[in-house]
Amino acid sequence: MGILSASIAKKVAMALSGLFLVFFLAQHFTINFSSVFSEETFNSWSHFMGTNPLVQFVLQPVLIFGVVFHFVMGIILELKNNKARKISYKSYKGNTNSTWASRNMIISGAVILAFLGLHFYDFWVPEMVHKYVESNPDDSFRYYGELVHKFESPVRTGIYVLSFVLLMFHLWHGFASSFQTMGWNNKFSKAVKGFTKLYAIVIPLGFIIIALYHHFNQISH
């Protein structure tokens, strides 16, 4: 029972960290999508997020911890599941028993983690250098130009697009599974599942639109 309880606790922790990251992803998407419509709005929101002490010194460390925790826990659970499968299922027939997304969560997760490394290198590291290493004066108008510059390269834009496609697959299974792990089973279950599937498509697709918009908008000019 102790082993079972520990396993359930790990899955619940994994689900909670996933739901936390889903919430952050929606907030991150909202700010970034504003860059498609208004340079001023994007600069304003980005400046707030980049200078607010609560965001910088409380929420940002919590977010970094949440990302690391979620992926480490995912690896631990995947290794444990693989170890438990001593005998292959004779009835296993690929998509007949499960979706590609559910069978390859560790792969999509690993690619997304690698992408997050690139994303941190592209945006977070330069931000830290700009503010704390070079000690540049505050500039609330620099964010839009920095964002656009990152999508000049077709290779980097392609990497972003591919990463968001894999994020779509990851969310397609993971978001809904989080509610199942939490024991969500009531009259709203069907609606919640529908929402998770819609979210899994709309948010990554929105990020793809952002990347492609800023890439091709530069070419047209």
Side-chain angles (χ1 to χ4, degrees), residues 55-205:
V55 174
Q56 290 294 297
F57 303 112
V58 179
L59 297 182
Q60 188 168 260
V62 170
L63 172 63
I64 294 174
F65 172 80
V67 170
V68 174
F69 178 86
H70 183 74
F71 283 100
V72 169
M73 191 61 65
I75 292 172
I76 291 173
L77 290 173
E78 182 67 17
L79 292 175
K80 184 176 181 180
N81 290 337
N82 288 338
K83 187 176 180 180
R85 299 188 194 109
K86 295 180 179 179
I87 301 176
S88 299
Y89 293 107
K90 293 182 180 179
S91 61
Y92 180 76
K93 297 179 181 179
N95 289 338
T96 302
N97 292 344
S98 60
T99 64
W100 184 93
S102 65
R103 297 194 313 275
N104 294 280
M105 289 293 284
I106 193 68
I107 296 176
S108 61
V111 174
I112 294 167
L113 184 60
F115 159 73
L116 285 175
L118 172 64
H119 193 61
F120 268 65
Y121 174 78
D122 276 348
F123 293 99
W124 187 78
V125 172
E127 182 72 8
M128 296 300 103
V129 171
H130 180 89
K131 291 191 297 187
Y132 303 118
V133 178
E134 298 177 351
S135 300
N136 289 303
D138 186 29
D139 181 4
S140 61
F141 302 102
R142 64 185 172 85
Y143 300 95
Y144 183 83
E146 292 174 355
L147 173 70
V148 171
H149 174 68
K150 297 303 179 183
F151 295 111
E152 288 181 357
S153 168
V155 174
R156 177 161 280 158
T157 301
I159 292 174
Y160 270 77
V161 170
L162 176 61
S163 299
F164 287 125
V165 170
L166 288 172
L167 175 63
M168 188 181 299
F169 284 115
H170 197 79
L171 288 171
W172 183 265
H173 174 73
F175 195 3
S177 294
S178 296
F179 284 99
Q180 294 177 4
T181 301
M182 298 300 297
W184 183 278
N185 186 20
N186 52 45
K187 63 181 181 179
F188 301 109
S189 297
K190 187 175 181 180
V192 169
K193 185 176 182 180
F195 169 74
T196 62
K197 300 305 183 187
L198 182 64
Y199 182 101
I201 295 173
V202 171
I203 298 299
L205 184 61

